[in-house]
Amino acid sequence: MAQTKMKKARVGNARSAARLAAVQALYQRDMTGGTVPGLLTEFHNYRLGATIGDEQYRPADSAFFDDLVAGATVRGSEIDALISANLADGWALDRLDKPMRGLLRAGVYELIARIDVPVATIIDEYMDVAHAFYDPREAKFVNGLLDAVARSVRSSATTGA
């Protein structure tokens, strides 16, 4: 995910930074096939809170980042099935670009595994990430897909989105 492609994102907290970094790590894993321990080490040592070129990365909640990356990887088959089940007819997961797959995988993982985080917060946060990389149309797609998944995996899901 090239920094030059990223649009200006709204400033958030350490969990927001962890979500953005997790999407980037999942994208990198999809591109290179790297191991989770290797990715976590690389991001902890060189990205989370670091300055790269003229870009300053925000400090992130490291434990939350680790959970998102490792959890989305370990539960990858389950997550991909939920994403696929909520795509429009004729669409398949492999038709989505790799950054979008990383974004959706992190968001769906959080919906199924982090019941301590409200659905509306999860959807809003991943909408912010989507706005950083995509046009409004794709951000609406993220909203719709995460909302549909939330309704299927959380019995009392109220998204407010």
Side-chain angles (χ1 to χ4, degrees):
M1 216 178 295
Q3 279 302 118
T4 56
K5 184 176 180 183
M6 191 168 95
K7 299 172 188 172
K8 199 70 168 164
R10 117 180 138 179
V11 175
N13 61 29
R15 281 201 167 182
S16 298
R19 287 179 178 100
L20 176 59
V23 169
Q24 292 172 321
L26 291 170
Y27 162 76
Q28 183 172 322
R29 184 173 185 279
D30 208 8
M31 290 293 291
T32 66
T35 66
V36 171
L39 280 173
L40 297 180
T41 298
E42 176 185 337
F43 273 75
H44 282 272
N45 291 340
Y46 303 109
R47 301 224 186 151
L48 301 179
T51 301
I52 301 173
D54 16 336
E55 292 292 325
Q56 172 66 43
Y57 285 75
R58 293 178 295 186
D61 178 332
S62 297
F64 190 69
F65 166 78
D66 292 354
D67 180 49
L68 293 175
V69 175
T73 301
V74 168
R75 296 181 74 172
S77 296
E78 175 187 5
I79 291 166
D80 286 355
L82 284 167
I83 295 169
S84 295
N86 287 285
L87 292 174
D89 288 340
W91 274 84
L93 186 63
D94 63 356
R95 282 188 64 189
L96 301 176
D97 69 13
K98 286 178 172 68
M100 180 62 75
R101 287 195 302 251
L103 191 157
L104 294 173
R105 286 171 174 154
V108 170
Y109 170 74
E110 201 168 338
L111 287 168
I112 63 176
R114 297 301 305 238
I115 59 171
D116 58 312
V117 182
V119 169
T121 299
I122 294 167
I123 293 174
D124 287 347
E125 289 282 330
Y126 288 98
M127 288 285 295
D128 283 348
V129 175
H131 283 296
F133 294 99
Y134 294 102
D135 292 325
R137 183 173 153 222
E138 285 88 353
K140 287 179 185 176
F141 166 75
V142 169
N143 181 57
L145 193 132
L146 292 179
D147 184 58
V149 170
R151 290 179 191 282
S152 72
V153 300
R154 291 203 185 181
S155 59
S156 62
T158 55
T159 64

